[in-house]
Amino acid sequence: MSGHGTPIPMRSSPSGPLTGVAQVPGDKSISHRSLILGALAVGETKISGLLEGEDVLDTARAMRAFGAEVTDHGEGNWSVFGVGVGGFAEPDQVIDCGNSGTGVRLIMGAMATCPITATFTGDASLNSRPMARVTDPLALFGTRTVGRARGRLPMTIVGAENPVPVNYKVPVPSAQVKSAVLFAGLNTPGKTVVVEKEATRDHTERMLAGFGATITTEETNAGRVITLTGQPELKSQTIAVPRDPSSAAFPVCAALIVPGSDVLVPGIGLNPTRIGLFTTLREMGADLTYENERTEGGEPVADLRARYSPNMKGIEVPPHRAASMIDEYPVLSVVASHATGQTMMAGVKELRVKESDRIEAMASGLRACGVTVEDGPDWWAVTGMGPGGMPGGATCVSHLDHRIAMSFMIAGMASQNPISLDDGTPIATSFPIFEPLMADLGAQLDRTTG
Ligand code: S3P
């Protein structure tokens, strides 16, 4: 439930070499899905390495409200006693998903074909984000929805009593929409089919298969065709959540731009649908290597080593790569500011409807720090100032967006003057240990009085 507290202004100052080991938290996407599928399974699902960020804690609370028994055993170990597919109880309070688009959209899908009614809300950021992308396909199952103008939260969902299976072509590249439809398909007789033109993160498909559902993915000329057979009995699982590549992005990018740095980020999930940033950084000339590659819990994992890389060049990021790095463009724009030449990021309209309009939020902050940024409806371009060339010295605005807040704090570590931030509270949604972790590596981060 972020965004409800007192703002915490922060400042990041030019830092010495960043060195050491960065143990980043568990994957946010996999953490949400572990709790939701655990709640829909029969028996006890044991989860280790769960991300204990506010977004995921809101999902844990929501699963309790729908009748699952969710227990925190400490140090990232959780258990969930599920109610079985179709077994969700009707919550007696409004479900507050805080800042989390993933949480609310996945949960809406999971309850949409149960004969219950639930009302959802969130913080100012979440309540301004589009939900029709989820409620449109849910309507095809027979689910009814009443929300605010232009499909905004707060919103009440009336689950379909007699859901019919759906064949849905996802109009925007979105793992959240795909997952909401698949979760709705769980309590629907027959086969639910989702077609996506561009591959988005596939944790839902992997995890549904792991819980025992019959689910297939076929690559066709029309895209990926995912077919789920409804009304399976999901069997409880033991899940080890890999560490989040989207969180790893911050210490990795900091190491690349702070002179003399050498940082190891162990145990990072390297699912091919998530690693666009690392591929892009290597193309730019980053000294970024994968060590000790292995498979853990069905997901590819490696230790990342990032070293200071003064010779990075701006590149054109291929638009087809966007879905695999959609959350990483803000921090990429910081690295691009320290490269030589222009970095062009096209095909990224979705960035405008994230926790904030991420193109606008980064472009205005970087411009205030002296960087030239051009932008259009679905693209933006950063003109690099070379290593250490960013003047900095501005106060940037986080817009209730964790990734914007952390990106500017990374920028301040390598700019000529400190960078201030109006509010660091959103960081806790996905990376609650960001400040001590970065400080341990040698970063100079302070909380200021404004
Ligand atoms: C997520 C999907 C992405 C991503 C978000 C997590 C998920 O959103 O931005 O942080 O876990 O499914 P979209 O599906 O809207 O692209």
PDB file of all heavy atoms in Angstrom, residues 27-30 32-33 101-102 105-106 129 133 173-179 200-201 203-204 246 274 323 326-327 350 353-355 358 402-403, ligand 1:
ATOM      1  N   ASP A  27      12.137 -12.435  -7.337  1.00  0.00           N
ATOM      2  CA  ASP A  27      11.474 -11.915  -8.529  1.00  0.00           C
ATOM      3  C   ASP A  27      10.024 -11.511  -8.206  1.00  0.00           C
ATOM      4  O   ASP A  27       9.264 -12.296  -7.650  1.00  0.00           O
ATOM      5  CB  ASP A  27      11.494 -13.005  -9.610  1.00  0.00           C
ATOM      6  CG  ASP A  27      11.028 -12.471 -10.932  1.00  0.00           C
ATOM      7  OD1 ASP A  27       9.806 -12.423 -11.171  1.00  0.00           O
ATOM      8  OD2 ASP A  27      11.894 -12.084 -11.729  1.00  0.00           O
ATOM      9  N   LYS A  28       9.686 -10.312  -8.615  1.00  0.00           N
ATOM     10  CA  LYS A  28       8.346  -9.777  -8.309  1.00  0.00           C
ATOM     11  C   LYS A  28       7.271 -10.554  -9.062  1.00  0.00           C
ATOM     12  O   LYS A  28       6.251 -10.941  -8.491  1.00  0.00           O
ATOM     13  CB  LYS A  28       8.318  -8.281  -8.664  1.00  0.00           C
ATOM     14  CG  LYS A  28       6.993  -7.597  -8.405  1.00  0.00           C
ATOM     15  CD  LYS A  28       7.152  -6.092  -8.270  1.00  0.00           C
ATOM     16  CE  LYS A  28       7.404  -5.374  -9.580  1.00  0.00           C
ATOM     17  NZ  LYS A  28       6.243  -5.387 -10.496  1.00  0.00           N
ATOM     18  N   SER A  29       7.489 -10.788 -10.342  1.00  0.00           N
ATOM     19  CA  SER A  29       6.477 -11.485 -11.145  1.00  0.00           C
ATOM     20  C   SER A  29       6.229 -12.890 -10.611  1.00  0.00           C
ATOM     21  O   SER A  29       5.088 -13.342 -10.475  1.00  0.00           O
ATOM     22  CB  SER A  29       6.957 -11.595 -12.601  1.00  0.00           C
ATOM     23  OG  SER A  29       7.069 -10.326 -13.176  1.00  0.00           O
ATOM     24  N   ILE A  30       7.319 -13.592 -10.296  1.00  0.00           N
ATOM     25  CA  ILE A  30       7.182 -14.979  -9.834  1.00  0.00           C
ATOM     26  C   ILE A  30       6.584 -15.004  -8.423  1.00  0.00           C
ATOM     27  O   ILE A  30       5.805 -15.890  -8.078  1.00  0.00           O
ATOM     28  CB  ILE A  30       8.553 -15.686  -9.917  1.00  0.00           C
ATOM     29  CG1 ILE A  30       8.980 -15.772 -11.400  1.00  0.00           C
ATOM     30  CG2 ILE A  30       8.512 -17.075  -9.289  1.00  0.00           C
ATOM     31  CD1 ILE A  30      10.355 -16.366 -11.638  1.00  0.00           C
ATOM     32  N   HIS A  32       4.327 -12.857  -7.091  1.00  0.00           N
ATOM     33  CA  HIS A  32       2.857 -12.693  -7.187  1.00  0.00           C
ATOM     34  C   HIS A  32       2.206 -14.014  -7.605  1.00  0.00           C
ATOM     35  O   HIS A  32       1.209 -14.454  -7.037  1.00  0.00           O
ATOM     36  CB  HIS A  32       2.505 -11.674  -8.276  1.00  0.00           C
ATOM     37  CG  HIS A  32       2.679 -10.234  -7.894  1.00  0.00           C
ATOM     38  ND1 HIS A  32       1.941  -9.619  -6.909  1.00  0.00           N
ATOM     39  CD2 HIS A  32       3.465  -9.261  -8.421  1.00  0.00           C
ATOM     40  CE1 HIS A  32       2.274  -8.344  -6.829  1.00  0.00           C
ATOM     41  NE2 HIS A  32       3.207  -8.093  -7.726  1.00  0.00           N
ATOM     42  N   ARG A  33       2.778 -14.619  -8.643  1.00  0.00           N
ATOM     43  CA  ARG A  33       2.163 -15.838  -9.205  1.00  0.00           C
ATOM     44  C   ARG A  33       2.220 -16.999  -8.219  1.00  0.00           C
ATOM     45  O   ARG A  33       1.317 -17.831  -8.168  1.00  0.00           O
ATOM     46  CB  ARG A  33       2.863 -16.198 -10.526  1.00  0.00           C
ATOM     47  CG  ARG A  33       2.482 -15.228 -11.668  1.00  0.00           C
ATOM     48  CD  ARG A  33       3.513 -15.276 -12.780  1.00  0.00           C
ATOM     49  NE  ARG A  33       3.147 -14.505 -13.959  1.00  0.00           N
ATOM     50  CZ  ARG A  33       3.262 -13.184 -14.096  1.00  0.00           C
ATOM     51  NH1 ARG A  33       3.721 -12.443 -13.073  1.00  0.00           N
ATOM     52  NH2 ARG A  33       2.918 -12.569 -15.215  1.00  0.00           N
ATOM     53  N   GLY A 101       0.023  -2.996 -10.457  1.00  0.00           N
ATOM     54  CA  GLY A 101      -0.753  -3.373 -11.637  1.00  0.00           C
ATOM     55  C   GLY A 101      -0.763  -4.877 -11.824  1.00  0.00           C
ATOM     56  O   GLY A 101      -1.786  -5.467 -12.183  1.00  0.00           O
ATOM     57  N   THR A 102       0.380  -5.513 -11.585  1.00  0.00           N
ATOM     58  CA  THR A 102       0.439  -6.965 -11.726  1.00  0.00           C
ATOM     59  C   THR A 102      -0.512  -7.619 -10.736  1.00  0.00           C
ATOM     60  O   THR A 102      -1.317  -8.491 -11.103  1.00  0.00           O
ATOM     61  CB  THR A 102       1.871  -7.475 -11.469  1.00  0.00           C
ATOM     62  OG1 THR A 102       2.770  -6.734 -12.286  1.00  0.00           O
ATOM     63  CG2 THR A 102       1.997  -8.945 -11.795  1.00  0.00           C
ATOM     64  N   ARG A 105      -4.332  -6.949 -11.655  1.00  0.00           N
ATOM     65  CA  ARG A 105      -4.798  -7.557 -12.915  1.00  0.00           C
ATOM     66  C   ARG A 105      -4.817  -9.086 -12.812  1.00  0.00           C
ATOM     67  O   ARG A 105      -5.739  -9.740 -13.287  1.00  0.00           O
ATOM     68  CB  ARG A 105      -3.934  -7.070 -14.075  1.00  0.00           C
ATOM     69  CG  ARG A 105      -4.181  -5.579 -14.375  1.00  0.00           C
ATOM     70  CD  ARG A 105      -3.291  -5.071 -15.479  1.00  0.00           C
ATOM     71  NE  ARG A 105      -3.579  -3.685 -15.825  1.00  0.00           N
ATOM     72  CZ  ARG A 105      -2.660  -2.759 -16.065  1.00  0.00           C
ATOM     73  NH1 ARG A 105      -1.377  -3.054 -15.974  1.00  0.00           N
ATOM     74  NH2 ARG A 105      -3.016  -1.534 -16.391  1.00  0.00           N
ATOM     75  N   LEU A 106      -3.815  -9.662 -12.175  1.00  0.00           N
ATOM     76  CA  LEU A 106      -3.801 -11.118 -12.035  1.00  0.00           C
ATOM     77  C   LEU A 106      -4.911 -11.601 -11.108  1.00  0.00           C
ATOM     78  O   LEU A 106      -5.565 -12.617 -11.378  1.00  0.00           O
ATOM     79  CB  LEU A 106      -2.429 -11.592 -11.519  1.00  0.00           C
ATOM     80  CG  LEU A 106      -1.401 -11.965 -12.594  1.00  0.00           C
ATOM     81  CD1 LEU A 106      -1.189 -10.893 -13.624  1.00  0.00           C
ATOM     82  CD2 LEU A 106      -0.079 -12.368 -11.970  1.00  0.00           C
ATOM     83  N   ARG A 129      -4.443   3.937 -13.851  1.00  0.00           N
ATOM     84  CA  ARG A 129      -3.962   3.062 -14.934  1.00  0.00           C
ATOM     85  C   ARG A 129      -5.110   2.315 -15.627  1.00  0.00           C
ATOM     86  O   ARG A 129      -6.137   2.046 -15.013  1.00  0.00           O
ATOM     87  CB  ARG A 129      -2.922   2.064 -14.368  1.00  0.00           C
ATOM     88  CG  ARG A 129      -1.676   2.783 -13.875  1.00  0.00           C
ATOM     89  CD  ARG A 129      -0.654   1.838 -13.309  1.00  0.00           C
ATOM     90  NE  ARG A 129      -0.099   0.960 -14.323  1.00  0.00           N
ATOM     91  CZ  ARG A 129       0.743  -0.042 -14.055  1.00  0.00           C
ATOM     92  NH1 ARG A 129       1.093  -0.277 -12.799  1.00  0.00           N
ATOM     93  NH2 ARG A 129       1.217  -0.778 -15.027  1.00  0.00           N
ATOM     94  N   ARG A 133      -8.017  -3.244 -20.570  1.00  0.00           N
ATOM     95  CA  ARG A 133      -7.223  -4.280 -21.241  1.00  0.00           C
ATOM     96  C   ARG A 133      -7.446  -5.652 -20.589  1.00  0.00           C
ATOM     97  O   ARG A 133      -7.234  -6.677 -21.223  1.00  0.00           O
ATOM     98  CB  ARG A 133      -5.733  -3.899 -21.230  1.00  0.00           C
ATOM     99  CG  ARG A 133      -5.225  -3.575 -19.858  1.00  0.00           C
ATOM    100  CD  ARG A 133      -3.751  -3.192 -19.812  1.00  0.00           C
ATOM    101  NE  ARG A 133      -3.398  -2.125 -20.735  1.00  0.00           N
ATOM    102  CZ  ARG A 133      -2.172  -1.927 -21.211  1.00  0.00           C
ATOM    103  NH1 ARG A 133      -1.189  -2.731 -20.827  1.00  0.00           N
ATOM    104  NH2 ARG A 133      -1.919  -0.959 -22.030  1.00  0.00           N
ATOM    105  N   PRO A 173       1.239  -5.948 -26.123  1.00  0.00           N
ATOM    106  CA  PRO A 173       2.153  -6.939 -25.532  1.00  0.00           C
ATOM    107  C   PRO A 173       2.092  -6.826 -24.010  1.00  0.00           C
ATOM    108  O   PRO A 173       2.629  -5.887 -23.435  1.00  0.00           O
ATOM    109  CB  PRO A 173       3.533  -6.528 -26.072  1.00  0.00           C
ATOM    110  CG  PRO A 173       3.377  -5.099 -26.495  1.00  0.00           C
ATOM    111  CD  PRO A 173       1.935  -4.834 -26.758  1.00  0.00           C
ATOM    112  N   SER A 174       1.415  -7.753 -23.352  1.00  0.00           N
ATOM    113  CA  SER A 174       1.254  -7.654 -21.900  1.00  0.00           C
ATOM    114  C   SER A 174       1.125  -9.023 -21.248  1.00  0.00           C
ATOM    115  O   SER A 174       0.150  -9.752 -21.480  1.00  0.00           O
ATOM    116  CB  SER A 174       0.015  -6.812 -21.556  1.00  0.00           C
ATOM    117  OG  SER A 174      -0.257  -6.930 -20.163  1.00  0.00           O
ATOM    118  N   ALA A 175       2.096  -9.344 -20.414  1.00  0.00           N
ATOM    119  CA  ALA A 175       2.037 -10.594 -19.653  1.00  0.00           C
ATOM    120  C   ALA A 175       0.925 -10.540 -18.622  1.00  0.00           C
ATOM    121  O   ALA A 175       0.370 -11.572 -18.241  1.00  0.00           O
ATOM    122  CB  ALA A 175       3.372 -10.836 -18.955  1.00  0.00           C
ATOM    123  N   GLN A 176       0.598  -9.348 -18.161  1.00  0.00           N
ATOM    124  CA  GLN A 176      -0.474  -9.231 -17.173  1.00  0.00           C
ATOM    125  C   GLN A 176      -1.811  -9.605 -17.795  1.00  0.00           C
ATOM    126  O   GLN A 176      -2.614 -10.327 -17.195  1.00  0.00           O
ATOM    127  CB  GLN A 176      -0.526  -7.806 -16.617  1.00  0.00           C
ATOM    128  CG  GLN A 176       0.706  -7.453 -15.801  1.00  0.00           C
ATOM    129  CD  GLN A 176       0.721  -6.011 -15.343  1.00  0.00           C
ATOM    130  OE1 GLN A 176      -0.203  -5.246 -15.630  1.00  0.00           O
ATOM    131  NE2 GLN A 176       1.767  -5.625 -14.634  1.00  0.00           N
ATOM    132  N   VAL A 177      -2.068  -9.124 -19.012  1.00  0.00           N
ATOM    133  CA  VAL A 177      -3.338  -9.442 -19.683  1.00  0.00           C
ATOM    134  C   VAL A 177      -3.388 -10.942 -19.995  1.00  0.00           C
ATOM    135  O   VAL A 177      -4.375 -11.624 -19.715  1.00  0.00           O
ATOM    136  CB  VAL A 177      -3.510  -8.590 -20.961  1.00  0.00           C
ATOM    137  CG1 VAL A 177      -4.768  -9.007 -21.716  1.00  0.00           C
ATOM    138  CG2 VAL A 177      -3.548  -7.105 -20.609  1.00  0.00           C
ATOM    139  N   LYS A 178      -2.304 -11.446 -20.576  1.00  0.00           N
ATOM    140  CA  LYS A 178      -2.233 -12.881 -20.882  1.00  0.00           C
ATOM    141  C   LYS A 178      -2.521 -13.705 -19.632  1.00  0.00           C
ATOM    142  O   LYS A 178      -3.321 -14.645 -19.656  1.00  0.00           O
ATOM    143  CB  LYS A 178      -0.830 -13.207 -21.416  1.00  0.00           C
ATOM    144  CG  LYS A 178      -0.531 -14.676 -21.532  1.00  0.00           C
ATOM    145  CD  LYS A 178       0.846 -14.938 -22.134  1.00  0.00           C
ATOM    146  CE  LYS A 178       1.997 -14.525 -21.229  1.00  0.00           C
ATOM    147  NZ  LYS A 178       3.319 -14.835 -21.811  1.00  0.00           N
ATOM    148  N   SER A 179      -1.892 -13.329 -18.523  1.00  0.00           N
ATOM    149  CA  SER A 179      -2.024 -14.106 -17.287  1.00  0.00           C
ATOM    150  C   SER A 179      -3.433 -14.003 -16.715  1.00  0.00           C
ATOM    151  O   SER A 179      -3.982 -14.985 -16.207  1.00  0.00           O
ATOM    152  CB  SER A 179      -1.016 -13.614 -16.250  1.00  0.00           C
ATOM    153  OG  SER A 179       0.287 -13.686 -16.786  1.00  0.00           O
ATOM    154  N   THR A 200       5.787 -12.332 -24.390  1.00  0.00           N
ATOM    155  CA  THR A 200       5.998 -11.610 -23.129  1.00  0.00           C
ATOM    156  C   THR A 200       6.415 -12.637 -22.079  1.00  0.00           C
ATOM    157  O   THR A 200       6.394 -13.846 -22.335  1.00  0.00           O
ATOM    158  CB  THR A 200       4.709 -10.898 -22.666  1.00  0.00           C
ATOM    159  OG1 THR A 200       3.707 -11.888 -22.412  1.00  0.00           O
ATOM    160  CG2 THR A 200       4.215  -9.914 -23.718  1.00  0.00           C
ATOM    161  N   ARG A 201       6.768 -12.163 -20.895  1.00  0.00           N
ATOM    162  CA  ARG A 201       7.300 -13.074 -19.864  1.00  0.00           C
ATOM    163  C   ARG A 201       6.347 -14.263 -19.685  1.00  0.00           C
ATOM    164  O   ARG A 201       5.126 -14.090 -19.657  1.00  0.00           O
ATOM    165  CB  ARG A 201       7.575 -12.322 -18.565  1.00  0.00           C
ATOM    166  CG  ARG A 201       6.379 -11.773 -17.864  1.00  0.00           C
ATOM    167  CD  ARG A 201       6.784 -10.801 -16.758  1.00  0.00           C
ATOM    168  NE  ARG A 201       7.372  -9.583 -17.326  1.00  0.00           N
ATOM    169  CZ  ARG A 201       8.047  -8.678 -16.642  1.00  0.00           C
ATOM    170  NH1 ARG A 201       8.248  -8.848 -15.346  1.00  0.00           N
ATOM    171  NH2 ARG A 201       8.525  -7.612 -17.222  1.00  0.00           N
ATOM    172  N   HIS A 203       6.230 -16.650 -17.126  1.00  0.00           N
ATOM    173  CA  HIS A 203       6.228 -17.298 -15.802  1.00  0.00           C
ATOM    174  C   HIS A 203       4.885 -17.969 -15.508  1.00  0.00           C
ATOM    175  O   HIS A 203       4.840 -19.008 -14.852  1.00  0.00           O
ATOM    176  CB  HIS A 203       6.529 -16.277 -14.707  1.00  0.00           C
ATOM    177  CG  HIS A 203       7.779 -15.493 -14.936  1.00  0.00           C
ATOM    178  ND1 HIS A 203       9.015 -16.079 -15.053  1.00  0.00           N
ATOM    179  CD2 HIS A 203       7.996 -14.158 -15.083  1.00  0.00           C
ATOM    180  CE1 HIS A 203       9.936 -15.143 -15.249  1.00  0.00           C
ATOM    181  NE2 HIS A 203       9.334 -13.967 -15.276  1.00  0.00           N
ATOM    182  N   THR A 204       3.795 -17.370 -15.976  1.00  0.00           N
ATOM    183  CA  THR A 204       2.471 -17.962 -15.704  1.00  0.00           C
ATOM    184  C   THR A 204       2.357 -19.332 -16.353  1.00  0.00           C
ATOM    185  O   THR A 204       1.917 -20.304 -15.715  1.00  0.00           O
ATOM    186  CB  THR A 204       1.371 -17.023 -16.245  1.00  0.00           C
ATOM    187  OG1 THR A 204       1.435 -15.802 -15.508  1.00  0.00           O
ATOM    188  CG2 THR A 204      -0.011 -17.630 -16.099  1.00  0.00           C
ATOM    189  N   SER A 246      15.026  -7.639 -12.892  1.00  0.00           N
ATOM    190  CA  SER A 246      14.660  -6.216 -12.978  1.00  0.00           C
ATOM    191  C   SER A 246      15.238  -5.437 -11.800  1.00  0.00           C
ATOM    192  O   SER A 246      15.520  -4.240 -11.924  1.00  0.00           O
ATOM    193  CB  SER A 246      13.136  -6.062 -13.009  1.00  0.00           C
ATOM    194  OG  SER A 246      12.612  -6.740 -14.129  1.00  0.00           O
ATOM    195  N   ARG A 274      13.011 -12.175 -20.182  1.00  0.00           N
ATOM    196  CA  ARG A 274      13.288 -11.095 -19.220  1.00  0.00           C
ATOM    197  C   ARG A 274      14.651 -10.409 -19.415  1.00  0.00           C
ATOM    198  O   ARG A 274      14.960  -9.472 -18.676  1.00  0.00           O
ATOM    199  CB  ARG A 274      13.259 -11.663 -17.781  1.00  0.00           C
ATOM    200  CG  ARG A 274      11.920 -12.207 -17.324  1.00  0.00           C
ATOM    201  CD  ARG A 274      10.901 -11.120 -17.055  1.00  0.00           C
ATOM    202  NE  ARG A 274      11.307 -10.226 -15.981  1.00  0.00           N
ATOM    203  CZ  ARG A 274      11.187 -10.485 -14.681  1.00  0.00           C
ATOM    204  NH1 ARG A 274      10.654 -11.626 -14.289  1.00  0.00           N
ATOM    205  NH2 ARG A 274      11.558  -9.614 -13.760  1.00  0.00           N
ATOM    206  N   ALA A 323       9.359  -6.057 -25.006  1.00  0.00           N
ATOM    207  CA  ALA A 323       8.644  -6.792 -23.952  1.00  0.00           C
ATOM    208  C   ALA A 323       9.618  -7.451 -22.983  1.00  0.00           C
ATOM    209  O   ALA A 323       9.304  -7.609 -21.795  1.00  0.00           O
ATOM    210  CB  ALA A 323       7.722  -7.841 -24.567  1.00  0.00           C
ATOM    211  N   ILE A 326      10.854  -4.383 -20.580  1.00  0.00           N
ATOM    212  CA  ILE A 326       9.943  -3.238 -20.481  1.00  0.00           C
ATOM    213  C   ILE A 326      10.149  -2.438 -19.189  1.00  0.00           C
ATOM    214  O   ILE A 326      10.019  -1.219 -19.178  1.00  0.00           O
ATOM    215  CB  ILE A 326       8.468  -3.682 -20.673  1.00  0.00           C
ATOM    216  CG1 ILE A 326       7.575  -2.498 -20.961  1.00  0.00           C
ATOM    217  CG2 ILE A 326       7.958  -4.524 -19.497  1.00  0.00           C
ATOM    218  CD1 ILE A 326       7.841  -1.824 -22.272  1.00  0.00           C
ATOM    219  N   ASP A 327      10.519  -3.113 -18.102  1.00  0.00           N
ATOM    220  CA  ASP A 327      10.705  -2.397 -16.834  1.00  0.00           C
ATOM    221  C   ASP A 327      12.106  -1.795 -16.704  1.00  0.00           C
ATOM    222  O   ASP A 327      12.395  -1.110 -15.721  1.00  0.00           O
ATOM    223  CB  ASP A 327      10.451  -3.341 -15.656  1.00  0.00           C
ATOM    224  CG  ASP A 327       8.978  -3.725 -15.564  1.00  0.00           C
ATOM    225  OD1 ASP A 327       8.126  -2.921 -15.976  1.00  0.00           O
ATOM    226  OD2 ASP A 327       8.696  -4.836 -15.087  1.00  0.00           O
ATOM    227  N   GLU A 350       4.011   1.217 -24.367  1.00  0.00           N
ATOM    228  CA  GLU A 350       3.558   0.706 -23.069  1.00  0.00           C
ATOM    229  C   GLU A 350       4.189   1.454 -21.884  1.00  0.00           C
ATOM    230  O   GLU A 350       3.632   1.492 -20.799  1.00  0.00           O
ATOM    231  CB  GLU A 350       3.867  -0.793 -22.951  1.00  0.00           C
ATOM    232  CG  GLU A 350       2.866  -1.667 -23.667  1.00  0.00           C
ATOM    233  CD  GLU A 350       1.478  -1.585 -23.040  1.00  0.00           C
ATOM    234  OE1 GLU A 350       1.343  -1.932 -21.863  1.00  0.00           O
ATOM    235  OE2 GLU A 350       0.529  -1.155 -23.725  1.00  0.00           O
ATOM    236  N   VAL A 353       2.053   3.861 -19.832  1.00  0.00           N
ATOM    237  CA  VAL A 353       0.959   3.461 -18.930  1.00  0.00           C
ATOM    238  C   VAL A 353       1.446   2.528 -17.813  1.00  0.00           C
ATOM    239  O   VAL A 353       0.725   1.670 -17.336  1.00  0.00           O
ATOM    240  CB  VAL A 353      -0.219   2.808 -19.701  1.00  0.00           C
ATOM    241  CG1 VAL A 353      -0.948   3.837 -20.537  1.00  0.00           C
ATOM    242  CG2 VAL A 353       0.248   1.635 -20.567  1.00  0.00           C
ATOM    243  N   LYS A 354       2.691   2.708 -17.416  1.00  0.00           N
ATOM    244  CA  LYS A 354       3.215   1.934 -16.277  1.00  0.00           C
ATOM    245  C   LYS A 354       2.861   2.676 -14.977  1.00  0.00           C
ATOM    246  O   LYS A 354       1.966   3.508 -14.969  1.00  0.00           O
ATOM    247  CB  LYS A 354       4.722   1.745 -16.436  1.00  0.00           C
ATOM    248  CG  LYS A 354       5.079   0.825 -17.601  1.00  0.00           C
ATOM    249  CD  LYS A 354       4.617  -0.583 -17.336  1.00  0.00           C
ATOM    250  CE  LYS A 354       4.895  -1.506 -18.501  1.00  0.00           C
ATOM    251  NZ  LYS A 354       4.301  -2.825 -18.311  1.00  0.00           N
ATOM    252  N   GLU A 355       3.594   2.397 -13.889  1.00  0.00           N
ATOM    253  CA  GLU A 355       3.298   3.048 -12.611  1.00  0.00           C
ATOM    254  C   GLU A 355       3.276   4.565 -12.786  1.00  0.00           C
ATOM    255  O   GLU A 355       2.618   5.286 -12.040  1.00  0.00           O
ATOM    256  CB  GLU A 355       4.320   2.633 -11.550  1.00  0.00           C
ATOM    257  CG  GLU A 355       4.122   1.220 -11.001  1.00  0.00           C
ATOM    258  CD  GLU A 355       4.729   0.123 -11.882  1.00  0.00           C
ATOM    259  OE1 GLU A 355       4.803   0.279 -13.127  1.00  0.00           O
ATOM    260  OE2 GLU A 355       5.115  -0.921 -11.308  1.00  0.00           O
ATOM    261  N   ARG A 358       6.572   6.574 -17.951  1.00  0.00           N
ATOM    262  CA  ARG A 358       8.012   6.449 -17.682  1.00  0.00           C
ATOM    263  C   ARG A 358       8.867   7.221 -18.676  1.00  0.00           C
ATOM    264  O   ARG A 358       9.998   7.598 -18.346  1.00  0.00           O
ATOM    265  CB  ARG A 358       8.411   4.961 -17.634  1.00  0.00           C
ATOM    266  CG  ARG A 358       7.936   4.312 -16.356  1.00  0.00           C
ATOM    267  CD  ARG A 358       8.347   2.865 -16.222  1.00  0.00           C
ATOM    268  NE  ARG A 358       8.065   2.422 -14.859  1.00  0.00           N
ATOM    269  CZ  ARG A 358       7.988   1.150 -14.488  1.00  0.00           C
ATOM    270  NH1 ARG A 358       8.187   0.188 -15.378  1.00  0.00           N
ATOM    271  NH2 ARG A 358       7.736   0.834 -13.241  1.00  0.00           N
ATOM    272  N   HIS A 402       8.553   3.216  -8.389  1.00  0.00           N
ATOM    273  CA  HIS A 402       9.793   2.677  -7.823  1.00  0.00           C
ATOM    274  C   HIS A 402      10.944   2.700  -8.819  1.00  0.00           C
ATOM    275  O   HIS A 402      12.077   3.023  -8.460  1.00  0.00           O
ATOM    276  CB  HIS A 402       9.551   1.254  -7.310  1.00  0.00           C
ATOM    277  CG  HIS A 402       8.894   0.322  -8.284  1.00  0.00           C
ATOM    278  ND1 HIS A 402       9.317  -0.950  -8.506  1.00  0.00           N
ATOM    279  CD2 HIS A 402       7.819   0.477  -9.109  1.00  0.00           C
ATOM    280  CE1 HIS A 402       8.537  -1.542  -9.395  1.00  0.00           C
ATOM    281  NE2 HIS A 402       7.619  -0.693  -9.784  1.00  0.00           N
ATOM    282  N   ARG A 403      10.675   2.325 -10.065  1.00  0.00           N
ATOM    283  CA  ARG A 403      11.794   2.225 -11.013  1.00  0.00           C
ATOM    284  C   ARG A 403      12.327   3.605 -11.402  1.00  0.00           C
ATOM    285  O   ARG A 403      13.520   3.758 -11.686  1.00  0.00           O
ATOM    286  CB  ARG A 403      11.398   1.407 -12.232  1.00  0.00           C
ATOM    287  CG  ARG A 403      10.897   0.028 -11.825  1.00  0.00           C
ATOM    288  CD  ARG A 403      11.191  -1.053 -12.805  1.00  0.00           C
ATOM    289  NE  ARG A 403      10.438  -2.254 -12.453  1.00  0.00           N
ATOM    290  CZ  ARG A 403      10.835  -3.203 -11.596  1.00  0.00           C
ATOM    291  NH1 ARG A 403      12.010  -3.123 -11.002  1.00  0.00           N
ATOM    292  NH2 ARG A 403      10.071  -4.239 -11.328  1.00  0.00           N
TER     293      ARG A 403
HETATM  294  C1  S3P B   1       4.551  -8.025 -15.296  1.00  0.00           C
HETATM  295  C2  S3P B   1       4.338  -7.649 -16.591  1.00  0.00           C
HETATM  296  C3  S3P B   1       4.746  -6.342 -17.130  1.00  0.00           C
HETATM  297  C4  S3P B   1       5.717  -5.609 -16.199  1.00  0.00           C
HETATM  298  C5  S3P B   1       5.331  -5.718 -14.756  1.00  0.00           C
HETATM  299  C6  S3P B   1       5.255  -7.166 -14.322  1.00  0.00           C
HETATM  300  C7  S3P B   1       4.072  -9.351 -14.865  1.00  0.00           C
HETATM  301  O1  S3P B   1       3.589  -5.565 -17.294  1.00  0.00           O
HETATM  302  O2  S3P B   1       5.811  -4.253 -16.562  1.00  0.00           O
HETATM  303  O3  S3P B   1       6.257  -5.047 -13.915  1.00  0.00           O
HETATM  304  O4  S3P B   1       4.487  -9.817 -13.783  1.00  0.00           O
HETATM  305  O5  S3P B   1       3.269  -9.961 -15.590  1.00  0.00           O
HETATM  306  P1  S3P B   1       2.678  -5.683 -18.635  1.00  0.00           P
HETATM  307  O6  S3P B   1       2.155  -7.042 -18.693  1.00  0.00           O
HETATM  308  O7  S3P B   1       1.600  -4.657 -18.479  1.00  0.00           O
HETATM  309  O8  S3P B   1       3.626  -5.345 -19.757  1.00  0.00           O
END
